[in-house]
Amino acid sequence: MKKTLFSLAPLALVLMGCSDPEPVDSKSTQNYELVADAEQRLDIYTPYQLKTDLSHLSDDQKKMVSLLIDASEIMDNLFWQQAFPENRENLLNRVEGDVREFTAINYGPWDRLNNNKPFLTGFDDKPEGANFYPSDMSKTEFENADLADKDSLYTLLRRDEQGELITVPYSEAFKDALTKASDLLHKAADLAESEDFANYLRLRADAFLSNEYQPSDMAWMEMTDNDVDVVIGPIENYEDHLFGYKTAFESYVLIKDTEWSQRLDKYAQYLPQLQEGLPVESAYKAEMPGANAQLNAYDAVYYAGHSNAGSKTIAINLPNDEEVQLEKGTRRLQLKNAMQAKFDKILLPISKQLIVPEQRDNITFNAFFANTMFHEVAHGLGIKNTLNDKGTVRSALKEHASALEEGKADILGLYMVTQLFEQGVLAEGELEDYYTTFMASIFRSVRFGASSAHGKANMIRFNYFADAGAFQRNEQGQYAIDMDKMRAAMNSLSEKILTLQGDGDYNGVAELVATLGVVSPQLQADLDKLADAGIPVDVTFKQGKDVLGL
């Protein structure tokens, strides 16, 4: 790794607010060049205008949305600092046109949908710990360090003047930026028509300065009457490939779709029953999910930071705090307009290439929506704490925790669809619609690469299904699902994942990822056909106040 490319901000800068450090080669004005074969990757995203009808909002609510977008832009800047260890402007000023846009989408010189490989010359592989840890820190040094909050979700690891590891809370490391974001949330709270939403905004604003996010997570779970929502702050830990501890800054600004949300209300009450019926020994399903979990549909009007990097999220399941989940449940937010964009622009064209003709009519938006929704709901099922005193599943499985959790949500989501369909609760279409759409969605998601948590989960599931004969591939490279074998594979993979989680079996999960979390040459050849057909891999958003008319 080239030290000049990945030197970290001096401690003084870290403590004063983590201002973008000046790169060692700050005087260089020579443009970066694309690595070989990178040019063909520049058009893998297709633009989509992120907007919705705001006419039902009051003037104060529209002003509030504008302030939330301003706060989101701060989250975007902070994520750049977490993801890219050098000066962002120096990077962006040395690339032009499509390359600059591609660099901005990836928040750095590494292709997030190509296993984080560098697409610009002069850069080595992306540091597994991004900019959360010193680039020269080993796992052993971290594990031996006597620092109480080293595995906190909200601290950076840095070195002091003697070269020893220290922790710096986000509230100190990013103090100036978070103070501005806090002020914006307080101003937005003053305009909120929902008292619960105003309370959440104020608690979230306070969390930026205190590093204590649980009270605001609790408050977020207590909201039911807000037309506008914002998911903002350091939330997901996918950017930390070293340990999976550190959370990245992001934001979504959302407008509630009341009609679709009412359609989803009835499903949360079935969670305890579905938990009891999971295909695993009783000890691995003893925890009971909150039956008061909320299911709602939204149109997204702004993505920022981690949520906007590379592939775009189409559904959210939060909070991640296990204590909040066990006490309050979780909220599942379906981002309907973003979901529709991916279905129309990507999933349908994929099905015409890779699904056998006689099963293509089973690819439906309702099935795509339901599969995506129950993926998020399924995060609340299973087990959060190990059975053998290894702590939480997340802490026991370390950097593999996210991949296995995403794999669990995928497979248990299909299990939930199956159970609810056969009980007559989910009444739209045929069961084969959900299975076929699920299979086509694997091809869509696999194209994101196998480096991310979602990517590894996709490959594990695809290869497990292949080994179980859940689908067959014909000579034209088209796939047909076998309903009976796919159902059997769904149940056995569910049992395997839940057991690994409950046992906190780090080595077992590592072996699963190593053996099944890979893209085979045959699958890669089939995926290459999608690129040859000009089918985009994902969407990029045209968004902001101008798009919304604010």
Side-chain angles (χ1 to χ4, degrees):
M1 190 173 295
K2 298 179 181 178
K3 185 175 180 181
T4 56
L5 290 176
F6 301 116
S7 59
L8 294 169
L11 179 61
L13 283 177
V14 170
L15 295 179
M16 288 191 298
C18 268
S19 301
D20 283 337
E22 285 298 319
V24 173
D25 188 23
S26 61
K27 295 182 180 180
S28 176
T29 58
Q30 183 177 357
N31 282 359
Y32 290 112
E33 296 181 357
L34 291 170
V35 302
D37 300 326
E39 187 171 2
Q40 62 188 10
R41 302 274 304 166
L42 298 181
D43 60 355
I44 64 172
Y45 295 91
T46 186
Y48 178 77
Q49 195 171 66
L50 205 59
K51 63 179 182 179
T52 191
D53 181 14
L54 302 180
S55 62
H56 63 291
L57 300 183
S58 67
D59 289 342
D60 278 352
Q61 285 178 310
K62 292 176 182 177
K63 292 176 184 177
M64 182 178 67
V65 169
S66 182
L67 289 169
L68 295 177
I69 290 175
D70 291 341
S72 300
E73 290 174 350
I74 293 175
M75 298 300 108
D76 202 68
N77 292 334
L78 292 179
F79 177 67
W80 261 104
Q81 295 180 46
Q82 293 177 312
F84 182 58
E86 289 297 330
N87 184 287
R88 172 185 59 179
E89 293 307 319
N90 184 61
L91 172 66
L92 292 177
N93 288 338
R94 293 170 63 185
V95 288
E96 299 175 345
D98 291 345
V99 181
R100 182 186 174 96
E101 183 176 356
F102 194 69
T103 304
I105 290 171
N106 285 282
Y107 288 75
W110 302 286
D111 189 342
R112 290 175 178 270
L113 302 192
N114 190 26
N115 301 320
N116 278 324
K117 294 180 180 178
F119 57 86
L120 297 177
T121 57
F123 290 93
D124 292 327
D125 292 340
K126 183 177 181 180
E128 289 189 337
N131 200 23
F132 299 114
Y133 310 92
S135 60
D136 60 350
M137 185 198 76
S138 67
K139 284 189 173 184
T140 300
E141 183 185 13
F142 176 88
E143 291 166 351
N144 291 338
D146 185 17
L147 297 169
D149 58 350
K150 65 182 181 182
D151 58 355
S152 165
L153 302 175
Y154 312 116
T155 61
L156 300 174
L157 272 289
R158 292 294 184 258
R159 295 195 184 278
D160 61 18
E161 293 179 355
Q162 287 73 44
E164 298 297 322
L165 287 178
I166 61 169
T167 58
V168 185
Y170 287 0
S171 55
E172 294 180 22
F174 307 111
K175 184 176 181 179
D176 291 347
L178 289 177
T179 298
K180 293 177 182 177
S182 178
D183 291 343
L184 288 167
L185 291 194
H186 277 295
K187 291 177 181 178
D190 292 339
L191 296 170
E193 297 181 359
S194 162
E195 291 185 8
D196 287 340
F197 187 49
N199 181 51
Y200 158 67
L201 289 176
R202 293 186 178 107
L203 288 173
R204 202 65 170 179
D206 294 343
F208 286 157
L209 306 183
S210 69
N211 238 34
E212 297 293 335
Y213 285 87
Q214 190 176 84
S216 60
D217 282 346
M218 291 286 191
W220 190 69
M221 283 300 302
E222 294 167 359
M223 299 186 309
T224 58
D225 63 345
N226 51 308
D227 291 327
V228 178
D229 205 346
V230 64
V231 177
I232 189 167
I235 299 172
E236 302 288 6
N237 56 4
Y238 303 129
E239 191 72 8
D240 179 4
H241 289 202
L242 193 62
F243 288 106
Y245 291 151
K246 305 306 176 184
T247 52
F249 285 98
E250 64 182 322
S251 183
Y252 305 82
V253 181
L254 309 169
I255 309 298
K256 192 171 186 177
D257 186 320
T258 304
E259 179 184 349
W260 273 72
S261 294
Q262 290 173 348
R263 294 171 58 180
L264 308 182
D265 274 346
K266 61 183 178 181
Y267 297 122
Q269 62 183 296
Y270 293 94
L271 288 180
Q273 170 192 329
L274 291 165
Q275 173 83 349
E276 292 175 0
L278 290 174
V280 68
E281 292 181 13
S282 58
Y284 296 90
K285 52 185 177 181
E287 297 176 358
M288 191 52 59
N292 59 340
Q294 301 175 41
L295 300 175
N296 287 296
Y298 295 82
D299 277 345
V301 295
Y302 202 82
Y303 282 59
H306 180 265
S307 66
N308 196 43
S311 60
K312 306 302 185 290
T313 299
I314 53 178
I316 306 168
N317 174 60
L318 291 171
N320 288 327
D321 187 317
E322 291 91 348
E323 293 181 8
V324 179
Q325 289 181 7
L326 291 174
E327 180 176 341
K328 299 282 189 179
T330 61
R331 291 179 65 201
R332 285 84 173 196
L333 295 75
Q334 315 306 305
L335 310 185
K336 185 167 165 278
N337 56 346
M339 204 180 296
Q340 188 75 57
K342 294 200 182 192
F343 182 81
D344 293 340
K345 291 176 172 285
I346 301 171
L347 190 61
L348 284 179
I350 284 177
S351 69
K352 293 177 182 178
Q353 294 287 328
L354 295 184
I355 301 298
V356 293
E358 55 269 29
Q359 290 186 337
R360 289 175 191 166
D361 287 343
N362 296 115
I363 310 293
T364 69
F365 179 74
N366 283 335
F368 182 53
F369 186 93
N371 287 342
T372 304
M373 175 179 67
F374 285 112
H375 165 102
E376 300 304 332
V377 175
H379 279 297
L381 297 185
I383 196 163
K384 303 298 179 186
N385 298 290
T386 61
L387 303 179
N388 44 16
D389 298 324
K390 292 183 180 179
T392 65
V393 171
R394 180 164 55 180
S395 63
L397 299 185
K398 300 180 182 179
E399 74 272 19
H400 297 308
S402 293
L404 198 66
E405 176 63 21
E406 292 304 325
K408 181 201 81 173
D410 281 329
I411 204 66
L412 291 191
L414 189 61
Y415 159 80
M416 295 176 75
V417 164
T418 305
Q419 297 299 312
L420 292 175
F421 185 88
E422 293 184 341
Q423 292 175 32
V425 177
L426 191 64
E428 295 177 330
E430 303 292 335
L431 186 58
E432 192 171 357
D433 294 349
Y434 300 91
Y435 277 56
T436 309
T437 302
F438 185 89
M439 184 67 203
S441 295
I442 295 179
F443 293 119
R444 180 186 68 84
S445 301
V446 161
R447 298 177 78 200
F448 298 160
S451 65
S452 68
H454 293 81
K456 291 173 184 175
N458 287 322
M459 286 318 310
I460 290 170
R461 184 172 63 262
F462 179 88
N463 289 320
Y464 192 94
F465 279 4
D467 292 343
F471 57 79
Q472 298 295 325
R473 179 182 182 275
N474 64 21
E475 293 181 355
Q476 290 75 43
Q478 299 166 338
Y479 292 76
I481 65 165
D482 182 309
M483 289 287 289
D484 292 335
K485 290 182 178 179
M486 189 167 175
R487 182 167 185 160
M490 171 189 72
N491 288 330
S492 63
L493 182 56
S494 297
E495 180 182 24
K496 185 177 186 66
I497 289 176
L498 291 170
T499 303
L500 287 169
Q501 287 187 322
D503 292 344
D505 187 354
Y506 176 87
N507 292 331
V509 179
E511 181 181 359
L512 184 70
V513 171
T515 55
L516 295 184
V518 295
V519 179
S520 70
Q522 183 180 77
L523 175 59
Q524 187 58 58
D526 291 335
L527 296 178
D528 289 342
K529 291 195 304 184
L530 303 179
D532 294 341
I535 300 173
V537 177
D538 208 66
V539 294
T540 184
F541 295 132
K542 306 299 182 183
Q543 58 179 2
K545 297 180 187 181
D546 290 343
V547 172
L548 296 172
L550 296 176

